[in-house]
Amino acid sequence: MTGGQGSNPQRGLLITFEGPEGSGKSTLIKGLADRMAERGLEPLLIREPGGTDLGEQIRNILLDPASEGMCGETELLLMVASRAQLVREKIIPALAAGRVILCDRFADASVAYQGYGRELGADLVDSLNQVALGEVQPDLTLLCMLDPAAGQARLRNRATDRLDRETIAFHRKVFAGYQALAAAGDSRFKVIDATASATGMLAAALAHLKRLEHGLLKHL
């Protein structure tokens, strides 16, 4: 089951949102979900890690500041475990039912955070992601890009988790990972300027969605 046949109006769409901390993903997802709801769509909103009962338990472990002693390999394996459950429990059924899925982070996050941030390497992450994803791939990945220093400044006004609290050096490695993904030539990646206003980011995202020419999105 893949998410890649975007021209078929009978099947669903998997749209993922990526970016460094503080890049406005959550606000963008809410804006898109509200826009879709106004036009009669009921998108499935999910997040990583998490999105299922089991995944949320894993999320609590991963993001708890008390888990600061976790090694990079454990972090990666827990992320992939949550992802495998999410794909099989939520994503595959939703795609088969013809739904639009808005997923806050997905497999690319592990490339950026564990592959680059933890320096475990993209090859290892890709091999584990293949197990978690099976044949599922996003139709579109909106990559909200913001300099890590600016993102960290935005986090000063909110509660932070274990990954938020990482060093600026770590977040710069993550940012470099996202830059590498954007530059790799995969057409599903569309960069959104996260220094823009929420309205501007939403307009840019809607433009990319409309270019998918999928029947579910024709009224956006």
Side-chain angles (χ1 to χ4, degrees):
M1 173 84 57
T2 66
Q5 298 177 15
S7 62
N8 186 343
Q10 298 303 310
R11 61 178 303 107
L13 281 169
L14 174 58
I15 302 163
T16 60
F17 299 77
E18 297 285 356
E21 306 298 334
S23 59
K25 291 183 293 78
S26 298
T27 301
L28 177 58
I29 292 169
K30 183 181 185 305
L32 284 171
D34 289 346
R35 175 73 172 247
M36 290 179 180
E38 290 170 0
R39 285 152 176 78
L41 285 175
E42 295 183 3
L44 173 64
L45 274 62
I46 51 178
R47 66 179 182 178
E48 277 215 340
T52 64
D53 289 344
L54 180 60
E56 291 297 320
Q57 295 178 58
I58 295 172
R59 180 186 181 90
N60 290 336
I61 296 170
L62 280 165
L63 301 186
D64 188 344
S67 299
E68 62 181 356
M70 185 183 299
C71 70
E73 290 82 358
T74 298
E75 184 178 276
L76 173 60
L77 290 168
L78 287 173
M79 290 283 188
V80 172
S82 175
R83 183 167 301 133
Q85 186 69 25
L86 182 63
V87 165
R88 286 150 185 82
E89 184 176 331
K90 294 289 184 70
I91 293 179
I92 289 177
L95 288 174
R99 297 190 67 183
V100 176
I101 306 167
L102 305 181
C103 187
D104 188 347
R105 299 201 187 282
F106 197 50
D108 300 306
S110 285
V111 176
Y113 278 81
Q114 286 78 50
Y116 281 78
R118 302 297 184 204
E119 299 184 347
L120 297 179
D123 289 344
L124 173 61
V125 175
D126 287 341
S127 66
L128 291 173
N129 271 336
Q130 287 177 11
V131 176
L133 302 184
E135 296 182 4
V136 169
Q137 291 294 330
D139 294 275
L140 175 69
T141 298
L142 296 175
L143 181 49
C144 304
M145 292 297 275
L146 182 71
D147 181 81
Q152 290 298 293
R154 291 181 179 181
L155 295 181
R156 291 172 190 157
N157 297 320
R158 79 174 199 195
T160 54
D161 58 41
R162 185 177 66 90
L163 291 177
D164 291 334
R165 297 180 183 185
E166 279 288 353
T167 65
I168 190 65
F170 171 81
H171 289 293
R172 290 200 182 282
K173 292 175 188 176
V174 171
F175 186 69
Y178 278 128
Q179 287 178 312
L181 286 167
D186 189 334
S187 61
R188 73 177 167 87
F189 285 103
K190 304 301 179 186
V191 174
I192 303 288
D193 178 7
T195 66
S197 66
T199 301
M201 290 179 67
L202 178 59
L206 285 168
H208 290 307
L209 286 171
K210 290 175 182 177
R211 291 189 191 107
L212 290 176
E213 298 183 349
H214 192 287
L216 289 171
L217 305 177
K218 63 184 178 181
H219 297 304
L220 284 182

